Amino acid sequence: IILNTCFLLLEHYDQPDYWRDMLVVVNYIFVGIFTLEAVLKIFVLGPRQYWQDHWNRFDFLVVAVSLFVLPFDGPGTSGFRMLRILRMFRLIKRYRGLKVVFTTLFLALPSLVNIFVLVLLVMFIFGVAGVRWFGKIPVDTTPGLTHNANFSNLYYALILLYTISTTDTWGDVMEGCAYGAEGTWIAIPYFIIYMLLVNCFLR
């Protein structure tokens, strides 16, 4: 699996024909090995016992995707070839530490979805309020605001709020909305409260 991952890393832009042909042959070899492994495990364990193991299901999915991608292994099919990356996830079941991390992340997904929805709700509320309070602030003369990230409408306001949630230039945006043309003092508590809330959830 590690060797297959290393060969996946060898593909690069504008590679010569002989290099691409070599990688295609190596890919066929690895697909054959993985397919043979899956067939032998099904034969030894039996279809029912094999299918009861979730990791065996994942291995079977990887093999099925690899076989599906083979006919598309040519120029202009990089989108399909990217599905080979799934093979790297086979390493997870081989190492206990990775398996524990992956299982923990999988079990935490429902909670992460709830946090994501909550962050979106906070951004929506502050976006609506931002359009109401800062919608008339000129874009060209205000630091931090651009034609694609401003408070002229809700769409652009959400883009701006997403950008500053990474703490990128949020101080400039706050200063421009507070002290620039058409600015208002309410920008200071607005941005401070927003940054505290969002970073409390994201960090």
Side-chain angles (χ1 to χ4, degrees), residues 17-179:
D17 292 338
Y18 73 88
W19 190 259
R20 186 185 67 245
D21 295 338
M22 183 270 292
L23 292 179
V24 169
V25 172
V26 171
N27 179 53
Y28 288 155
I29 293 173
F30 281 116
V31 170
I33 293 173
F34 294 148
T35 304
L36 180 62
E37 178 192 10
V39 171
L40 290 177
K41 290 180 73 172
I42 293 174
F43 179 76
V44 173
L45 300 176
R48 178 174 297 180
Q49 184 176 353
Y50 174 86
W51 200 250
Q52 288 177 348
D53 191 323
H54 296 294
W55 288 106
N56 286 339
R57 295 181 187 179
F58 181 76
D59 283 348
F60 186 83
L61 174 64
V62 171
V63 171
V65 169
S66 299
L67 292 174
F68 172 77
V69 170
L70 279 182
F72 304 98
D73 202 353
T77 58
S78 58
F80 286 104
R81 295 201 305 271
M82 287 299 294
L83 295 176
R84 300 176 188 170
I85 297 176
L86 284 174
R87 298 177 192 169
M88 291 188 289
F89 287 98
R90 291 166 57 95
L91 286 170
I92 294 174
K93 76 171 188 176
R94 300 288 193 266
Y95 297 95
R96 184 178 179 184
L98 284 176
K99 191 173 181 180
V100 170
V101 172
F102 183 80
T103 303
T104 303
L105 180 62
F106 181 78
L107 294 176
L109 281 179
S111 299
L112 293 178
V113 171
N114 294 333
I115 294 175
F116 177 73
V117 171
L118 184 58
V119 170
L120 286 182
L121 179 61
V122 170
M123 291 179 65
F124 178 79
I125 293 173
F126 276 80
V128 172
V131 172
R132 172 65 178 82
W133 290 327
F134 317 122
K136 296 182 180 180
I137 295 178
V139 175
D140 297 328
T141 58
T142 304
L145 299 185
T146 67
H147 289 285
N148 295 322
N150 53 69
F151 289 103
S152 60
N153 58 54
L154 181 60
Y155 174 73
Y156 289 144
L158 291 177
I159 294 177
L160 178 60
L161 290 175
Y162 173 77
T163 302
I164 66 173
S165 65
T166 63
T167 67
D168 182 27
T169 67
W170 77 276
D172 295 336
V173 177
M174 179 181 68
E175 184 178 351
C177 292
Y179 304 114

